[in-house]
Amino acid sequence: MKVLSVASECVPLVKTGGLADVAGALPAALAAEGVKVTTLLPGYPAVMAALGGGRALRRIDDLFGGPARLQRGEAAGLDIIAIDAPHLFARPGNPYLAPHGGEWGDNGIRFAALGAMAALLATGGVRNVAFDVVHAHDWQAGLAPAYLRFGAKRVPSVFTVHNLAFQGKFPLDLFPRLGLPPQALSVEGLEYFGTVGFLKSGLWYADRITTVSPSYAAEIRTPEAGMGLDGLLRGRAGAVSGILNGIDTVEWDPAKDRHLVANFSAEALEGRAANKAALQRRLGLAEDPDALLMGFVGRLTWQKGVDLILGAIPAILGCGAQLALLGSGERGIEDGARGAAWAHPGRIGAEIGYDEGLARLIYGGADVVLVPSRFEPCGLAQLCALRYGAVPLVAHVGGLSDTVVDANEMALAQGVGTGVHFSPVQREMLEAAVWRMAGLWRDRDGFARLQANALATDVSWTRSAKRYATLYRDAIADAG
Ligand SMILES: Nc1ncnc2c1ncn2[C@@H]1O[C@H](COP(=O)(O)OP(=O)(O)O[C@H]2O[C@H](CO)[C@@H](O)[C@H](O)[C@H]2O)[C@@H](O)[C@H]1O
């Protein structure tokens, strides 16, 4: 089976969020299921450089205002087709934002090109290239299912929502440029509250919709978490499912990770202490093996609940814990994190920025990783934490509740707890969970059992890759 995966970012070539991790890791896991994945990416400078140009598949004279070429090549073990369209993608900055921080004004056209090229490739637009299914990720690839629906040949599509909050809405005057038939611009199409909705397009036209955990799949069908799309999702309930993310357990392996100062495994945990000490030194924390070290890695945004962590600092300090924080995002939260570190030297350390090495040291050195997200489609931080033996303290939402087993009385008695949940997602409840975690930490043997359970959790892609393979087969069978 041949699948065209369509994404706007992909590890290790280009990443702004968890979507890139999934797009980069899923192809290898699917290969074990007999699924051959080709990844279609915009030809950003980093992508073209990684392909060394690639080999030409086809030239397009006018792709939304300029010439383009589809170039195929291999990078980091991935089979990649890049849209080499300098007028759209040869720019500095990240995939969506100009260097000064504002969104590129032509993002609608840029990602329409991604969807259009996916459909062209899947429906025979390039000689000797064919795909059985198109798997489009997030709003950036949301027009692919629409172009396929009105395309020359019936090829089924799967659309995965990594975050319903990012919807890709553009002014209606974009529509005439898209080359879609007029009937597409309707409520029964991609029209969305007076805009052209790219996410809406994916949700409306795809044969199957998935999101990245079963709980989030249920949550987005409610008005509270549906972000305006719950009605549509309820209408398409039969097509919606949740498939948990995994992580690449070869890439994320504490026994081999070069970013750790000492490697370790579930069977030989001694090295963890050296990582804890190194993390404490790196962030200016007191080098105390007995202090409960809590870490956070992620985007500093409202979604991730980082403001709740900053609000809970009195509780964190009150129970004798330390805090190591890494991330970047909203200015106010960045300032808050810097301020907290400045006000509590030796107890709170913060680094603002993106640093995969430090992230790995936090997962491999902190005793606990905090994930107090207000909503979380799946969450990768808690999966990395489980893999590296940091006990996750998580909000009871979305994929966090699907992947971490709360160490309540019953779970402790059964020896199955892997972390701590709190709900509802409010500062007071986070504080209570911090105190609860501190209580667990005081019983070192009990905490060690929790950590052992965390390390024993299967966070690999194996199970979920099987589910995607089945879903692709079902979509193909239905498309007949
Ligand atoms: N400053 C920093 N330095 C180093 N590493 C950093 C970092 N900030 C983040 N990371 C790393 O990037 C990854 C982000 O994963 P998340 O699940 O938090 O993704 P995100 O919310 O962007 O994506 C969305 O898509 C993913 C994938 O489907 C869903 O899991 C998620 O719920 C959804 O919101 C984690 O592995 C984290 O360690």
Side-chain angles (χ1 to χ4, degrees):
M1 189 190 336
K2 288 188 185 160
V3 174
L4 182 65
S5 169
V6 187
S8 57
E9 44 186 282
C10 180
V11 155
L13 307 180
V14 51
K15 166 168 167 172
T16 72
L19 157 66
D21 294 295
V22 174
L26 197 48
L30 282 166
E33 300 302 316
V35 178
K36 188 173 172 342
V37 179
T38 302
T39 305
L40 178 66
L41 291 170
Y44 314 117
V47 171
M48 297 318 298
L51 291 189
R55 62 177 196 284
L57 288 182
R58 183 179 159 165
R59 194 190 144 80
I60 293 105
D61 292 334
D62 182 6
L63 180 63
F64 297 114
R69 294 174 314 165
L70 294 172
Q71 300 290 119
R72 192 169 199 164
E74 226 184 84
L78 298 163
D79 176 28
I80 289 172
I81 299 178
I83 306 168
D84 182 18
H87 64 296
L88 301 176
F89 302 122
R91 302 177 186 183
N94 90 10
Y96 322 116
L97 308 175
H100 58 75
E103 296 202 352
W104 295 111
D106 58 350
N107 273 350
I109 282 300
R110 296 171 77 224
F111 294 105
L114 181 64
M117 290 301 96
L120 181 82
L121 281 159
T123 55
V126 175
R127 213 155 18 105
N128 298 327
V129 175
F131 297 96
D132 303 303
V133 184
V134 170
H135 185 170
H137 297 271
D138 270 355
W139 74 261
Q140 295 88 342
L143 288 197
Y147 283 115
L148 282 169
R149 183 59 63 93
F150 298 108
K153 186 179 150 203
R154 176 89 175 96
V155 177
S157 59
V158 172
F159 183 62
T160 294
V161 181
H162 295 266
N163 194 335
L164 202 68
F166 301 120
Q167 303 194 338
K169 292 187 285 183
F170 297 95
L172 284 180
D173 59 14
L174 174 68
F175 186 77
R177 297 187 63 191
L178 298 178
L180 286 164
Q183 69 264 34
L185 188 63
S186 101
V187 178
E188 301 190 333
L190 50 69
E191 192 274 334
Y192 182 53
F193 295 117
T195 69
V196 173
F198 278 40
L199 188 79
K200 162 90 189 293
S201 163
L203 296 177
W204 184 265
Y205 287 112
D207 295 276
R208 292 284 198 285
I209 300 163
T210 72
T211 184
V212 288
S213 71
S215 287
Y216 193 60
E219 288 170 8
I220 58 178
R221 281 176 260 171
T222 67
E224 293 74 28
M227 305 213 175
L229 289 158
D230 48 294
L232 163 54
L233 287 159
R234 280 194 300 279
R236 297 214 59 198
V240 180
S241 61
I243 303 181
L244 273 180
N245 285 337
I247 56 173
D248 180 336
T249 48
V250 175
E251 191 50 44
W252 289 86
D253 181 357
K256 304 218 174 81
D257 196 323
R258 286 177 298 105
H259 295 284
L260 299 180
V261 298
N263 290 114
F264 63 89
S265 65
E267 296 72 37
L269 263 183
E270 304 75 38
R272 256 195 135 261
N275 294 309
K276 178 169 177 177
L279 175 58
Q280 286 169 324
R281 275 196 303 277
R282 165 96 186 250
L283 289 182
L285 302 170
E287 210 179 307
D288 176 359
D290 287 324
L292 170 59
L293 176 50
M294 299 185 162
F296 171 88
V297 182
R299 292 184 288 114
L300 302 183
T301 61
W302 182 84
Q303 176 195 345
K304 300 292 178 184
V306 197
D307 53 311
L308 302 177
I309 299 182
L310 298 179
I313 282 176
I316 293 171
L317 298 176
C319 71
Q322 298 177 334
L323 178 63
L325 205 141
L326 166 66
S328 64
E330 290 164 19
R331 194 56 189 280
I333 306 180
E334 289 186 352
D335 290 345
R338 277 195 202 97
W342 184 82
H344 305 285
R347 301 291 303 280
I348 298 181
E351 196 155 307
I352 306 304
Y354 186 91
D355 185 334
E356 190 168 322
L358 179 56
R360 286 166 180 264
L361 193 60
I362 291 177
Y363 294 129
D367 303 300
V368 167
V369 162
L370 304 173
V371 196
S373 309
R374 289 189 165 87
F375 67 93
E376 197 59 82
C378 178
L380 300 175
Q382 84 284 9
L383 300 183
C384 298
L386 290 165
R387 174 77 173 144
Y388 280 54
V391 174
L393 188 165
V394 304
H396 184 79
V397 295
L400 301 175
S401 50
D402 290 343
T403 53
V404 176
V405 182
D406 182 53
N408 55 36
E409 295 277 322
M410 180 87 98
L412 284 176
Q414 299 294 321
V416 293
T418 59
V420 162
H421 287 194
F422 71 95
S423 170
V425 191
Q426 295 166 353
R427 178 178 52 83
E428 295 78 2
M429 304 316 284
L430 171 60
E431 287 173 345
V434 164
W435 282 104
R436 205 175 130 211
M437 189 62 98
L440 290 164
W441 172 249
R442 271 195 294 279
D443 166 18
R444 288 307 157 78
D445 290 342
F447 192 86
R449 281 197 295 279
L450 209 54
Q451 194 172 37
N453 292 344
L455 282 158
T457 307
D458 179 6
V459 294
S460 76
W461 271 108
T462 310
R463 245 180 314 176
S464 295
K466 285 191 201 314
R467 293 204 54 202
Y468 276 114
T470 305
L471 188 82
Y472 297 150
R473 279 189 203 101
D474 291 349
I476 294 167
D478 285 0

